Structure formats: C-alpha cells, structure tokens
Amino acid sequence: SRAPPWTHQLDASMEALGKKENRLALKRRFDSPNYWRMHMDMPMAAGIVEMTGGGPILGQSDVLTELFNVPLEVEVAFDSKPESVLVSIAANLLESLADATRYKDMKPVKGGNLFLAGGGKLLLALSAPLTFRGADLKAHPELAASWDQLVAGLETVRITEGDVEDLLNGSFTLALGSDATVMGSNIPGVYIALTGRKGAAAKILGKLMENEQFAQLVPLIPLQVDGWDSVFAVSPEEFPAPLVFGVTGDTLFMGVLNSDALGQTPEIPAGLAAMLDSSLLGIGVADVAGIWNWLRREVADPNSLLSSVMDDDVKGILDTLFEEEAEPSVSFFKLWATDPGTAFMEFSVEDVPQEKSLLPRLLKAAQLAASQQDEE
C-alpha cells in the first residue's frame, strides 16, 4: 500500500534539518533567532474557528474567504535579557484582509491616543484604535441581531446608528488606578473613554440627557470641571460608588472615580512615560507589582472594601496566595503597536527568591479551590 502523503512531508522536513538548502525560504520580519511562524489558509482557519466554538457561520471557509484575500502569515519572535523578555509579533493583516482600506488609514499618534484622567496612581491602562460598522457583524447572525436590537432601542431617544458608528470610529481607552471613594474606602477607580468623530460624543450624551425617561431612570447631578464640556455624576442616593459621565471634545467618558479628580493627571509608571512621548497605534501597560501590592493590602485589612465583600472560602484562597510575602516574578508589562500589523510585548522580570515564589502558592490555591468545589 502507498504511504500517506504526510510521511513524505515528514521525510522532507527531517532532511531539511541537515541540509540548509532544502529549507523553506522565509521572509523574516525580525532578527531574533528564536521565533515561531504560522501560515493559515481559509480552510484551516475555518476548522480552528469551528473547533474553538466560533460558530457555524465563521466556521465556513467561504465566509472567511469574504473576509480575507490571502492566507494569514504570522511571525512571533522572542528575545530575552536578564531583566526582561520581549515578544515581537507581525502579521500581514493589511494584505490579507479583504476590507483593509480603513485599517490603512490608521496612523500612529503620540502616546497611542491614551486618555488619562482622574489623579491617583495608574495601575493598568490600554488604548487601541477603533473602526466599526454595524455591517461588520454580518458574519455572526446572533451578534448582528443584538446590534439591531440595540440600535432600535437607541432610536427611541433619537440616537441613530450613524451616531454610534461615529463614536466607535476613533480610539478606546480602559484604565484602572484613578482615585475613587466607595463606602468610605479609597480604592483604584476605573474608567472607559471612547474618542470618536463628528461630535458624536456630545450628541449621544446630549440626547440621553434630553430624554425624560432616562433622566428619571438615572438621576444625574450636573458638575462643573475645568476643561470638560459637560460632566454628570449619578446621585449617591441611587448608587454607592462615584459614577461619572462626561464629554470633552470628541471623547465620551464613563467611570467610577471621584469627580473632583477629573481635572488631575494620574501618577504615571516609569515604564509608561517613554511610550507617551512616542508615536504609536495603541499601547497597554500593567503595573503588576503595584496591583499585587494593592491586593495584598486589601486582603490583609479586615476592614477593607474587598474583605467586606469576600466570603470565607474566597478569603482563604487569597490568603494562601499572599502568605509569607509571595512576589510575582513579572513586575511590569508593556504592550504597544506601531502599525496594524506589528506589535510588541515586554515583560519586566524580577529575581524572586525561592521562598517567595508565587507558583507554589498558585498551585496550593488551585488545590484549595478544587477541594471547596468538591465539597459543594
């Protein structure tokens, strides 16, 4: 009987290990000798989508063919230093996407268009460009139906689909770490900022405020903040946290933070400062050590807000993680994109003594959680 085709491919691969001239000629994007490369055609992509539960529509190669012109080529390179690990990622997105025109128009901007507000110490932040149309959801009928329902609901307050699309064509920021006072406790605030176009932010918030039903459902208090076009806070009688909505320029802002901190600038981690001066498509940072230390203090303080909402089982798991001053080996994480097809991730690593290693405590916490699950 004839040998299956894949055996010939395996033989050729083994031969190429010893003969450089028999290896595939790859067009590398990065110089690192340590890399991983993937070539994905549409039948392969459809199989992966179907296996991972992506839905029957996206799991059809003819649908994916409408989204992609050519196979996707991805290269991931790895570089390590004693103090950090750099992961570089490149893909031929602009070449492969069938509708790539709007992505080609995306240009790097200073600081990746990260929107900063709220004072306090910034612990986590992410900014990314946005380009969205309702028609983008046609490949997923369930999402398309949900979008149609959302648009129909917004039209009752005179917000059109075009208004929402204008808001969702620009940039997005998510941040954790501004000042917020909740039930007498100071905690990191969190906010989302959508920077759109054509005055969509002011239109949407203005139309919501003009609607009597919305005003009755969400009682808002108007505030005056320098540099902002309009700011509203939810009445503290209706919501225990300082929930704030606002507009400045083309940015619609929503967050849980003290309104008097809106006009302030948060304390910037050293790992972010240089990125804010660079022209980038998007950026992300996580002060892992800062987040870890905050969680440690919250768990250790029986009067903290976090401790007050945890049950004994959850507190027992967290106590296991933080016992004996455990420390994460990654202290800071950075992510940045220079164009739609190129991005980088950098992990700042620390030499943590064995007795403070986090991995044994993670395993112990996982075992504790599993035993609690079995008891239930």
Side-chain angles (χ1 to χ4, degrees), residues 29-51:
R29 288 288 303 275
F30 306 110
D31 296 331
S32 173
N34 306 306
Y35 70 96
W36 168 82
R37 193 175 178 90
M38 179 185 70
H39 171 94
M40 183 187 300
D41 57 21
M42 295 311 104
M44 178 182 176
I48 292 175
V49 170
E50 189 171 2
M51 283 191 302

Side-chain angles (χ1 to χ4, degrees), residues 177-188:
S178 51
D179 287 330
T181 304
V182 179
M183 301 172 62
S185 298
N186 293 322
I187 65 170

Side-chain angles (χ1 to χ4, degrees), residues 362-374:
L362 284 172
L363 295 175
K364 186 176 178 181
Q367 292 173 348
L368 182 57
S371 65
Q372 292 174 356
Q373 190 70 28
D374 292 340

